[in-house]
Amino acid sequence: MLKTILSLSVALAFTGCAFTPDNALPKTELPTAMEAKVSVEKNWWTQFNDPVLNQLVATALQNSQNLALVTAKVDEARARLGIADSAKLPRIDLSGRGARAQASQNSTDLDLPPSNNFQLAGQASWEIDFWGRVRNTATAAQQDLMAIEYNRDAAILALTTEVTQNYFNLRALDAQLEITKHTVQSRFEAYDLQQKRYRGGVTSELDVKQAEVELANARSNLPDFKEAIARLESALSVLVGQSPRAMMEQGIGRGKSISELQINNEIPDQLSSELLLQRPDIAQAEANLLATRARVQVARAAYFPRISLTGLLGVQSNSLDTLFNQGTRGWSFAGDLAMPLFNGGLTAAQIDQAKAQEKQAVAQYQLVIQTAFAETRSSLIVNQTVQAKTGFEQTQVSALKQQLKLATLRYDNGYSSYLEVLDAQRSLFNSQLNLVKAQRNQINARVELYKALGGGWSKTPTPQ
């Protein structure tokens, strides 16, 4: 018993010498603005309240082969963690052996009967983790798993962002196509009216040709919008993993129009820096950094001896029916020690390599944080400007509608030429298209802000 206690005491003393990585993150000066009532909203696309968009995103998440690939990598990393963790515990094997032999009479003067030998033994082996090699290897594997899980989250964020923005772009093109069709119809009616007036001697042929030119200009936009819609539908079909048959027969569904897609949540005056630090790419960079630090300690442990214990306990008998009788038991216990004496600088080079990888991870971590804050700042500014732009475009459309009405009235009463009407029509058409662009840009800017923050945000209730 005294020997056992002494052995455990020595083991614990050596375990205290194990190398422990530094888990402190590099200091980064963050903005002081805080908003404690805001938290990350992962399903941010649902805030647009469009069932068709929600279904497209759900289908993309289900069918994306890129996500399937990343998910398989997560499973692989989880298995590697299990392999690393298994080294923390003793390995126990069970072996059995049975043999029967007959000695040749030519090799001995005795006529010996056949001999039997039956064995059954359990063997245990365990590496004593004095220097933390096994523990740090498992820690690195754990951080690798977390990094790959965050990479999967980043892939999900990128996919949902791309699907959402493509859908909004598609709805904007749909709106522009409808505006163009309406413009073509109104200009066809104007052209038909000018022809009737010309035949009645009320107007000149010049007015007829001018109306015909404007009609042709409006019609020339139709093929461009139709082609752009077809290309975007095909791109969305691929993103959501639609089958070729469904792509040809069903296409992409439509939900709310671009003007109906309202943004319901206002941007808080101040956003917490802690909210931004939940971005998956920042969390992934942090996990990669901690993994490299653990591997530095694994490399350092190679300078010191690896000590392992093996033990065997079993039974052995010449007869199977007496295998478990008294006197058949046998045991053995051994300790192994191995350490490098000379390897041509291999261990030192491996430590230098691990330290260099740690420096890379530190630089990458800080770069990701800088990029995240730059993207967020830019997105916040863009959200302010595009909102104002949409308001200006809406005011302009309203004013041009009134201008067209007045120009038509002046022309009908002979106070102005038809060019004034044509200018008003042309300006209104372009302004209506620009208004749709502004509405699309405003919604896409909000999506970019969601992406910059690692997701949307939701206000948590104030505790009573």
Side-chain angles (χ1 to χ4, degrees), residues 101-115:
Q102 172 66 63
S104 171
Q105 294 182 1
N106 294 332
S107 62
T108 177
D109 295 334
L110 300 177
D111 184 9
L112 299 176
S115 63

Side-chain angles (χ1 to χ4, degrees), residues 171-360:
R171 296 306 285 136
L173 287 172
D174 290 336
Q176 290 176 325
L177 179 61
E178 288 302 315
I179 291 172
T180 304
K181 288 180 177 180
H182 178 75
T183 301
V184 168
Q185 179 62 31
S186 63
R187 290 187 181 180
F188 177 80
E189 293 172 355
Y191 171 65
D192 184 62
L193 178 60
Q194 293 301 323
Q195 282 186 317
K196 291 178 180 179
R197 287 184 172 185
Y198 173 68
R199 288 194 293 268
V202 179
T203 188
S204 66
E205 185 179 3
L206 177 62
D207 291 346
V208 176
K209 292 302 180 182
Q210 288 173 335
E212 184 179 5
V213 169
E214 292 303 315
L215 172 61
N217 286 336
R219 281 175 170 171
S220 67
N221 289 278
L222 291 174
D224 294 336
F225 286 125
K226 290 179 179 179
E227 178 183 352
I229 288 173
R231 291 181 181 276
L232 206 47
E233 283 183 325
S234 299
L236 262 175
S237 297
V238 174
L239 277 177
V240 302
Q242 203 173 43
S243 67
R245 180 176 180 179
M247 187 186 305
M248 298 300 296
E249 296 180 357
Q250 301 175 8
I252 298 297
R254 303 295 199 273
K256 292 184 176 181
S257 66
I258 194 70
S259 59
E260 294 173 337
L261 287 165
Q262 301 296 326
I263 302 173
N264 297 324
N265 61 336
E266 296 295 329
I267 300 176
D269 294 334
Q270 294 178 333
L271 289 172
S272 170
S273 300
E274 297 297 326
L275 178 67
L276 186 58
L277 291 177
Q278 297 181 63
R279 276 177 49 138
D281 56 346
I282 294 180
Q284 180 185 4
E286 177 182 333
N288 285 331
L289 172 57
L290 297 180
T292 58
R293 286 179 173 174
R295 291 193 176 94
V296 169
Q297 306 309 321
V298 173
R300 289 180 61 194
Y303 270 130
F304 298 88
R306 293 176 60 175
I307 302 175
S308 59
L309 303 177
T310 58
L312 184 144
L313 177 64
V315 291
Q316 181 176 358
S317 175
N318 292 331
S319 176
L320 185 60
D321 56 359
T322 62
L323 183 61
F324 298 99
N325 290 353
Q326 187 71 21
T328 61
R329 297 175 184 174
W331 62 271
S332 66
F333 179 80
D336 297 323
L337 183 147
M339 69 176 297
L341 293 180
F342 176 76
N343 55 15
L346 174 62
T347 302
Q350 289 174 335
I351 294 176
D352 291 341
Q353 180 186 34
K355 288 182 177 179
Q357 291 173 346
E358 180 190 3
K359 292 179 181 178
Q360 296 173 36

